Amino acid sequence: MRLLVAGGGLAGLVAAARALELGASVTVLEKGDRPGGSFVYSSGYIWSYRDLPTFRREAPGGDPDLQALVLGRLEEALSWLEASGGVILSRETGNPLTFGARFDPEPTAAALAGRVEKAGGQLLLRRALRRLLTAEDGRVRGAVVEGEGGRDEAAADAVILATGGFAANPELVRRHILRGPGRLLLRAHPWSAGEGFLAALAAGARPGPGLDEFYGRNLPAPPARFGPKLFVEVSQLYGRHAVAVNLRGERYADEGADWSETALVRATALQPRQRAWYLLDAAALRRRVRERSVGEMVEAARRVGGTVLRAGSLEELARRLGERGVPAERLLRTLREYNAAAEAGRAGELRPPRSGEAPVLGEPPFAAVEVAAAITHTIGGLAVDAGCRVLREGGEPVGGLYAAGVEAGGLSAGGYASGLAAALVLGMRSAETAVEEAG
């Protein structure tokens, strides 16, 4: 059985390694100059919610069959990854809602790539999928591949798409996520530009839910400059301890809407210039998020050239932001309304409301950090079933076509779930289904 895997990130490497174990002949096409995808830039946490009701609550728009698949197979998949050379850093996630493990991304990706090649698989770098080849009956029979020497056709009995969604395609992001002008910062490698998604649609596939959603973080806004290896370090993951205002000086979202702050990042993406300000007082700067304090995350933003303003009073902070174009009087009114509601325990009555803890912004000195929304990966993708078969509009599979990782849409629509767990579990499942159906 000849299997073509498009994409050499975690999902593609897992699919290739598992298919080789099952006796397939495997070729992996990686558009970039190295394997590993954005996994190598991540914190390495691979997790699931602890039970299906929690999964459904945290990602209510997601496909319950896919969610049950990830939940049911993650422990087995983590053990498989460790046995395949994955390097475990921790067997805890630090979140009572979840279970999983933390892997060291670079050596784990290297181990998987080595396993693929040692088992006889081909790992071809700088090879991009351009089009799927189909037979008269609509079954996928290979792909058109573009490399440095031009375009070639690669025949296959099945194709697994694991090209990582379309986060690095500004046009698709504008069309599906922003629904208008603007551009998100990219918190990932630059190769996931939607080739697999578009090729599947052209072959008759239908998209799954969540095309207008993404996972990402608010990062220090330009002129901050930093490379991919600092993506985790410079992420400004403390919105729940701040008051978030847009460039008009207005609160624009519920800062405490969810534990992951995914909703806050998505709301930032819809603000003018996809930017906002996080406003903090001294008490907030002392708070801790996992192993770091908020003050340390603010310092990371300043260190890479981000805009961090400090002031001894809210009036001074408003004046300094006014110098940056934020209407000072409106901002002061916003902060006074917020503080009054927080002090009275009525933050849930604000518009937008404030969920959970609503700290009063009152202890000087104060700080303001300019942030910009950044996309790590798309949430929506191709409609698939629990066997990772890509589906047509009528619900029947596109013969010979499978999807893994974030290429498979619908797992975490309406919320957030681990993209790395989708890569691992769906990578394994897509390989198993493809080999079984070809055999």
Side-chain angles (χ1 to χ4, degrees):
M1 184 258 183
R2 300 167 301 170
L3 177 64
L4 194 63
V5 179
L10 181 61
L13 291 175
V14 167
R18 181 64 179 135
L20 285 160
E21 288 179 346
L22 298 173
S25 172
V26 179
T27 299
V28 180
L29 309 172
E30 169 51 49
K31 181 182 178 183
D33 58 10
R34 55 154 182 83
S38 291
F39 175 48
V40 300
Y41 300 144
S42 75
S43 60
Y45 284 101
I46 304 177
W47 55 270
S48 170
Y49 292 106
R50 289 193 173 275
D51 52 57
L52 193 56
T54 302
F55 212 141
R56 298 296 302 143
R57 185 183 70 244
E58 296 294 332
D63 184 324
D65 291 336
L66 290 180
Q67 293 172 348
L69 174 66
V70 169
L71 174 63
R73 292 203 59 181
L74 183 59
E75 286 283 13
E76 168 199 352
L78 292 171
S79 297
W80 177 90
L81 183 56
E82 184 179 17
S84 300
V87 179
I88 285 190
L89 299 175
S90 171
R91 299 182 185 277
E92 300 291 337
T93 64
N95 183 342
L97 297 176
T98 68
F99 72 95
R102 185 182 188 186
F103 284 78
D104 193 340
E106 289 196 40
T108 298
L112 285 171
R115 189 177 180 88
V116 168
E117 294 183 316
K118 186 176 180 180
Q122 281 190 300
L123 179 53
L124 305 179
L125 302 178
R126 300 181 179 87
R127 301 291 200 283
L129 173 75
R130 290 303 178 216
R131 181 167 58 86
L132 292 169
L133 299 173
T134 56
E136 290 186 3
D137 62 359
R139 183 177 180 85
V140 171
R141 292 296 187 184
V144 174
V145 181
E146 185 171 26
E148 294 172 337
R151 293 194 174 190
D152 295 303
E153 293 188 357
D157 298 305
V159 174
I160 294 176
L161 298 174
T163 59
F166 56 84
N169 187 318
E171 180 183 348
L172 289 180
V173 169
R174 280 192 290 269
R175 183 190 312 168
H176 294 294
I177 294 175
L178 299 180
R179 306 290 182 91
R183 184 161 186 160
L184 298 178
L185 299 181
L186 182 63
R187 187 180 175 264
H189 67 71
W191 305 313
S192 290
E195 285 90 351
F197 177 71
L198 294 172
L201 294 184
R206 68 175 171 88
L211 275 185
D212 60 341
E213 299 177 31
F214 71 97
Y215 163 69
R217 292 292 185 216
N218 280 337
L219 299 181
R225 297 184 64 182
F226 43 87
K229 290 189 176 181
L230 292 180
F231 283 156
V232 173
E233 181 179 340
V234 303
S235 294
Q236 302 297 286
L237 188 55
Y238 52 83
R240 69 178 70 86
H241 302 308
V243 175
V245 299
N246 58 24
L247 303 187
R248 296 188 290 263
E250 302 164 335
R251 287 182 62 250
Y252 60 91
D254 180 353
E255 297 92 337
D258 60 346
W259 67 268
S260 67
E261 300 192 2
T262 300
L264 181 56
V265 177
R266 292 175 185 169
T268 304
L270 301 180
Q271 301 309 303
R273 299 176 61 200
Q274 292 72 53
R275 295 193 182 199
W277 290 89
Y278 279 176
L279 310 183
L280 303 146
D281 70 355
L285 291 168
R286 293 192 296 268
R287 299 293 294 267
R288 299 195 70 81
V289 179
R290 285 185 173 167
E291 67 275 7
R292 292 190 296 166
S293 72
V294 173
E296 287 170 334
M297 285 187 272
V298 171
E299 174 57 23
R302 187 203 61 77
R303 193 165 54 246
V304 297
T307 303
V308 178
L309 307 179
R310 300 190 186 274
S313 67
L314 290 180
E315 290 75 15
E316 182 186 359
L317 192 68
R319 178 181 60 77
R320 297 205 63 189
L321 283 164
E323 294 169 353
R324 302 277 177 161
V326 179
E329 289 187 9
R330 184 182 297 160
L331 175 60
L332 267 180
R333 186 164 60 250
T334 295
L335 293 179
R336 287 167 178 160
E337 289 175 356
Y338 167 83
N339 274 346
E343 287 174 344
R346 294 185 292 101
E349 300 175 13
L350 289 165
R351 292 291 177 268
R354 173 81 180 225
S355 299
E357 183 183 0
V360 174
L361 202 67
E363 182 184 343
F366 301 93
V369 184
E370 189 174 23
V371 298
I375 183 170
T376 301
H377 62 73
T378 43
I379 296 295
L382 301 170
V384 301
D385 63 14
C388 296
R389 303 170 188 88
V390 175
L391 303 177
R392 298 183 184 275
E393 286 292 342
E396 68 275 13
V398 178
L401 188 62
Y402 309 85
V406 299
E407 204 84 88
L411 177 68
S412 56
Y416 170 57
S418 170
L420 296 182
L424 176 57
V425 173
L426 302 190
M428 293 183 68
R429 184 65 179 132
S430 63
E432 292 161 357
T433 307
V435 173
E436 177 184 350
E437 295 187 341

